[in-house]
Amino acid sequence: MAFDGSWIEYKNEKFDEFLAAMGVNAAKRKLAQNMKLQLTMKQDGKKFTMTEKSLLRTKETSWTMDEEFTGDLADGSVMKGTYTLETPTCFVGKFTRMSDGKEIVNRRKVDGDEMIQTTKVDDVEMKRYFKRQEA
């Protein structure tokens, strides 16, 4: 499966602007800019499990494609939505943050040993770039 494995972020674009649009204060945004997110992903058919590791937290999230679920963001806010597998190497999530109704669209696409995460809220779109790590 294309998403299986460990991934580490090596660069991002418009991350600070995205966090500001999400209402994250300047001090937390500065801290977040210096973190390199590590992901471990496992796909079993339509079921996905992802573990996120950063300086702030380690969190495991599981979901099944095309089924609504509730999760939380790094800032503690709750979101509800659905991921859809567009192709074997790309999935898209459409979510609503429960506290303010903000719509969040999150896309992850794998191309070989690189994964690009594109996330949009309001009119701000950020990208995070990940490289697959050796097993």
Side-chain angles (χ1 to χ4, degrees):
M1 305 286 173
F3 294 95
D4 284 355
S6 296
W7 303 85
I8 189 161
E9 179 183 7
Y10 68 91
K11 74 175 182 175
N12 62 58
E13 298 171 1
K14 295 190 177 181
F15 190 49
D16 187 65
E17 294 93 329
F18 173 81
L19 293 175
M22 292 290 289
V24 177
N25 71 45
K28 288 183 180 179
R29 292 196 323 261
K30 184 174 174 105
L31 179 63
Q33 280 292 334
N34 296 319
M35 288 189 298
K36 297 299 181 201
L37 183 63
Q38 296 177 357
L39 303 175
T40 303
M41 299 183 74
K42 177 70 179 146
Q43 180 182 356
D44 183 11
K46 292 179 77 173
K47 184 173 175 65
F48 280 70
T49 301
M50 180 173 67
T51 303
E52 301 176 40
K53 287 185 182 181
S54 71
L55 293 174
L56 298 178
R57 71 178 188 165
T58 298
K59 181 177 182 327
E60 184 174 285
T61 305
S62 295
W63 70 88
T64 302
M65 290 295 168
D66 304 313
E67 292 183 12
E68 187 175 73
F69 73 100
T70 301
D72 66 320
L73 302 172
D75 67 359
S77 58
V78 176
M79 62 171 195
K80 184 183 277 192
T82 306
Y83 276 117
T84 302
L85 196 61
E86 287 192 336
T87 70
T89 60
C90 179
F91 64 81
V92 177
K94 295 182 181 176
F95 300 93
T96 301
R97 185 161 67 173
M98 304 312 292
S99 61
D100 59 11
K102 282 189 182 270
E103 299 292 322
I104 303 164
V105 178
N106 181 29
R107 175 186 303 268
R108 285 191 168 93
K109 182 174 177 54
V110 172
D111 184 7
D113 286 334
E114 182 176 61
M115 178 171 58
I116 300 173
Q117 172 188 332
T118 306
T119 308
K120 184 174 182 177
V121 65
D122 299 333
D123 61 349
V124 179
E125 183 176 277
M126 68 97 172
K127 290 187 178 183
R128 296 175 99 170
Y129 297 82
F130 296 85
K131 281 285 187 194
R132 192 186 310 264
Q133 300 301 292
E134 296 296 320

